[in-house]
């Protein structure tokens, strides 16, 4: 749109507030990522596994965004909140899995056995969390009740995040753990 000289166009009202909220939520997501990495470093004192857990958590954002795109639900403050929620839950599940692996290793298991046992032991809580959240949020995501449209973006983002999280937690995380810990075991043996 071309405007006469001396005139300008600026958006205000709800659009301006939404843009400000997006900037603040992006800052919160960035800070949360840094804080999660800091906590992971304190817990495990290893860069590789800390970055692997962070990678799994942040990659899950793609599942949230894909679900929003496929359903035509807009990215807004509510869906952004759902994304932040899912990232935290996925990081927590990953932390428990790695912690279980480390306990198995201390008990004398080799790398592969310890990874397999940690995944097998943690599969039920992961499935219960994901399936429970998906089923609980499905009525909101489908917009079945009065006023459900207000929380529909959050529900769709969380459902998409959990659907993407299951393969990440059950396939990708164990593969990364095997790579990281087998390499570390080789380095220890060689020295």
């Amino acid at each position: 749109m071309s405007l006469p000289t001396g005139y300008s166009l600026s958006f205000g009202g709800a659009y301006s507030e939404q843009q400000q909220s997006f900037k603040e939520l992006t800052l919160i997501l960035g800070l949360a990522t840094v804080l999660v990495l800091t906590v992971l470093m304190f817990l495990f004192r290893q860069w590789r596994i800390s970055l692997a857990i962070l990678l799994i958590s942040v990659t899950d954002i793609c599942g949230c965004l894909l679900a929003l795109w496929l359903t035509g639900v807009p990215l807004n403050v509510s869906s952004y909140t759902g994304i932040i929620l899912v990232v935290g839950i996925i990081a927590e599940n990953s932390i428990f899995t790695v912690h279980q692996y480390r306990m198995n290793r201390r008990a004398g298991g080799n790398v592969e056995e310890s990874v397999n046992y940690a995944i097998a032991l943690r599969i039920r809580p992961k499935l219960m969390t994901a399936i429970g959240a998906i089923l609980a949020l499905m009525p909101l995501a489908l917009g079945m009740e009065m006023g459900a449209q207000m929380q529909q973006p959050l529900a769709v983002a969380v459902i998409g995040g959990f659907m993407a999280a299951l393969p990440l937690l059950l396939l990708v995380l164990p593969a990364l753990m095997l790579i990281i810990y087998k390499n570390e075991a080789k380095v220890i043996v060689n020295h």
Side-chain angles (χ1 to χ4, degrees), residues 52-53 56-57 59-60 89-91 93-98 112 114-131 134 161-178:
I53 290 172
I56 293 290
S57 300
T59 302
D60 194 56
I89 292 172
I90 300 314
N93 278 322
S94 300
I95 289 167
F96 285 135
T97 302
V98 172
E112 199 168 314
S114 296
V115 169
N116 289 338
Y117 183 74
I119 295 301
L121 193 65
R122 298 293 311 158
I123 195 168
R124 189 179 328 157
K126 289 173 187 169
L127 289 173
M128 287 172 57
T129 301
I131 293 170
I134 290 168
F162 276 121
M163 290 178 77
L166 287 175
L168 288 171
L169 289 170
L170 299 175
L171 301 172
V172 177
L173 179 62
L176 290 174
M177 289 171 66
L178 282 172

Side-chain angles (χ1 to χ4, degrees), residues 178-189:
L178 282 172
I179 291 168
I180 291 167
Y181 289 121
K182 278 190 174 184
N183 287 339
E184 286 179 5
K186 285 179 187 174
V187 169
I188 291 170
V189 168

